Amino acid sequence: MDDMWTLYISLAALLIPALTCLLAVSSLVCARRKYSHLPSPKMSSRFFGHYFDIKREREKGIRPGQNPPDGLLLKWASDIGTLYILFLVWKPILIVLDPEDIQKVHMNRLHPKPKTITTIVGDVFGQRASLRSLFVLQDYSTWHPRRKHYDLAFSKSYLTGLVPTFDRCCEKCLSGLKPFADGVVQVPMKRHLLKFSQNTIWKVAFACDISDECDPTSGADVVPVGTKVFKAFQDKLHNFPFQHFQFFHPFECEGYRNAVRTLRGVGKECILKRMKVLDDGGEVPNDILTFILKSATTDSAVDIETLLDDFAIFYLAGQETVGNTLSLALVLVLQHPEVLERLLAEIDEVLGSRTSVTTEDLEKLKYTEQVVHETMRLYSPAGFMVVSKESPPGGVTLSGYHIPAGTHMATHPACVHRMPQYFEEPDSFNPSRFDPENKKPSPFIYFPFGVGHRMCIGMHFAMVEMKLMLCRLIQAYDITLPPNYKLIVVEQFIRQSHDDITCTLVPRK
């Protein structure tokens, strides 16, 4: 009898994995047949599809695993067209790069946010991060009322009233650089600008001061909480669709979870303190947090955990996107003396001997804004698969092809921004292409903040912050890059330089 049970157990041990593999292969074959009518690049593996093609592209260069796959995606677009299907093992991803298709995908309210985004940023290996934030909500009917509540707090008209607060944050950052502006000390500008963007979002959005009494020239490897959480998102995205297998790295995952707990813990303390003051009828600062809390009282679906979801996304996007884009803009300006000269001329014309920037000044800094736009065209903050939608029930027709229901449709800004049919000399840094006298690029070929209804809510916040800081920094200091410095951009969920961009500074006369 025991021998019979041993035989049954042995057979089960053999049959269960075999049947699982058979089911996986049959599912894979069915998925491939479902999309066989769509253009697709040649796969390096029948089972893994294009997974290793993209992974190999990411492994190239100075930071293995963090290199954007833009070159490969652009090559495929050149070879087979602006619409093609990729297979990441069992997960099909439709790449959409044609402006008309982009408009059709992102302007249709029936196209929800894909579930993939929720799995990547909704939680970090079991720790809730932004599960019900605006960024990941799929259903338009749920997303739209809450977005309307928040829109006024992030509107251009509301934020321009906060320009003096933004300007004080710039002054604090510039003052922190003074002790090191001797033309000798190497200052890691990227780290300092990330600190500035962190302090700005805390001060402008939440009326909190973050201690920054740290030496910006320190070589200590201190990873800010926001950067750590973005690293977790990046690891999940780059390992997609195997992101859950990272549980095999328990210490790394626990570090990511601790970073999320810290962020949500600080946010909860801040929100509860403000809610108590509001309940007691006390005076509160006229900042974004107060605006959001007052608006949220009309929506019973928004509880403290949901507010923390949005808090986390606002903070993360506000710190990482702005700090890293400013760093890239600084390098590009310093590498193009003619751009720096024109930028200084505009600053002198608008501000003269003044250092503070007013709302009226901000509107006059046209060329400064062009520099920011051109930086985001070359190095769009959003990475692969982030700007995406899902096809609705019944599917959708793009470029003459029927796209089945439930397909993940990814629009890649970094690729569209570099396509020669849309931008002349797309690899060159030319802020004048955004001159108001030139034809404005279509929102479906230039969209660093996303496109359509789900465009980034913090767009105006980021533009005010970046214009102000770039203007004040260039006015205050003569900054020099190391000799023969080469800018190498990597992707950690968003685009950034691979190094800290160490520079020497002297006060500008």
Side-chain angles (χ1 to χ4, degrees), residues 4 21 51 65 69-70 85 117 129 201 311 343 352 365 461 478:
M4 289 296 292
C21 290
Y51 177 79
D70 307 347
I85 193 82
I117 299 300
I201 194 163
F311 170 91
L343 199 56
L365 293 170
F461 189 106
D478 187 356

Side-chain angles (χ1 to χ4, degrees), residues 6-41:
T6 303
L7 179 62
Y8 292 151
I9 291 170
S10 300
L11 285 172
L14 291 171
L15 286 173
I16 290 174
L19 289 171
T20 302
C21 290
L22 184 63
L23 183 63
V25 171
S26 62
S27 299
L28 205 64
V29 170
C30 289
R32 302 278 168 85
R33 283 181 178 171
K34 184 179 179 181
Y35 295 96
S36 61
H37 63 292
L38 295 174
S40 180

Side-chain angles (χ1 to χ4, degrees), residues 395-430:
V396 63
T397 300
L398 301 176
S399 293
Y401 295 99
H402 175 73
I403 311 303
T407 302
H408 185 136
M409 303 179 292
T411 302
H412 198 35
C415 283
V416 179
H417 294 174
R418 296 258 187 169
M419 297 179 81
Q421 58 265 50
Y422 308 137
F423 293 97
E424 186 178 346
E425 297 183 359
D427 294 330
S428 65
F429 179 65
N430 178 19

Side-chain angles (χ1 to χ4, degrees), residues 220-239:
D221 185 18
V222 180
V223 182
V225 168
T227 304
K228 187 107 178 175
V229 178
F230 259 106
K231 177 67 164 56
F233 292 162
Q234 170 228 311
D235 283 359
K236 292 181 73 177
L237 181 64
H238 287 190
N239 287 304

Side-chain angles (χ1 to χ4, degrees), residues 296-460:
T297 56
T298 61
D299 188 350
S300 58
V302 178
D303 57 13
I304 183 68
E305 292 301 321
T306 304
L307 284 173
L308 284 171
D309 292 339
D310 283 328
F311 170 91
I313 283 294
F314 294 157
Y315 170 77
L316 290 169
Q319 176 192 333
E320 292 293 311
T321 303
V322 169
N324 282 300
T325 302
L326 272 171
S327 303
L328 296 172
L330 177 64
V331 173
L332 290 169
V333 168
L334 296 178
Q335 289 181 331
H336 295 80
E338 72 285 359
V339 173
L340 176 60
E341 184 180 352
R342 188 171 169 186
L343 199 56
L344 280 168
E346 178 181 78
I347 293 168
D348 288 342
E349 181 183 343
V350 174
L351 298 183
S353 59
R354 291 184 294 114
T355 55
S356 60
V357 178
T358 66
T359 304
E360 292 73 24
D361 295 331
L362 200 64
E363 291 298 317
K364 296 174 184 175
L365 293 170
K366 301 295 185 184
Y367 191 69
T368 308
E369 183 171 324
Q370 290 169 221
V371 169
V372 173
H373 278 304
E374 179 68 348
T375 302
M376 291 192 293
R377 184 193 68 81
L378 281 173
Y379 302 111
S380 174
F384 178 49
M385 289 193 351
V386 175
V387 182
S388 52
K389 286 288 192 76
E390 194 173 278
S391 54
V396 63
T397 300
L398 301 176
S399 293
Y401 295 99
H402 175 73
I403 311 303
T407 302
H408 185 136
M409 303 179 292
T411 302
H412 198 35
C415 283
V416 179
H417 294 174
R418 296 258 187 169
M419 297 179 81
Q421 58 265 50
Y422 308 137
F423 293 97
E424 186 178 346
E425 297 183 359
D427 294 330
S428 65
F429 179 65
N430 178 19
S432 295
R433 72 175 86 238
F434 289 96
D435 192 302
E437 294 183 3
N438 296 331
K439 185 181 178 182
K440 187 178 180 181
S442 159
F444 305 110
I445 64 170
Y446 174 68
F447 46 96
F449 294 104
V451 60
H453 311 292
R454 303 297 292 253
M455 188 180 291
C456 174
I457 195 171
M459 175 176 64
H460 297 304

Side-chain angles (χ1 to χ4, degrees), residues 191-200 210-212 214:
R191 197 180 307 172
H192 203 76
L193 289 170
L194 280 168
K195 190 70 178 179
F196 156 73
S197 60
Q198 172 186 274
N199 289 347
T200 302
I210 299 296
S211 174
D212 61 350
C214 62

Side-chain angles (χ1 to χ4, degrees), residues 25 40 74 82 105 159-160 195 231 240 256 261 263 269 271 293 301 312 359 364 448:
V25 171
S40 180
L74 278 169
T82 53
V105 167
L159 289 171
T160 49
K195 190 70 178 179
K231 177 67 164 56
F240 180 83
Y256 292 152
R261 290 187 197 110
L263 179 59
E269 183 181 344
I271 289 171
L293 288 177
T359 304
K364 296 174 184 175

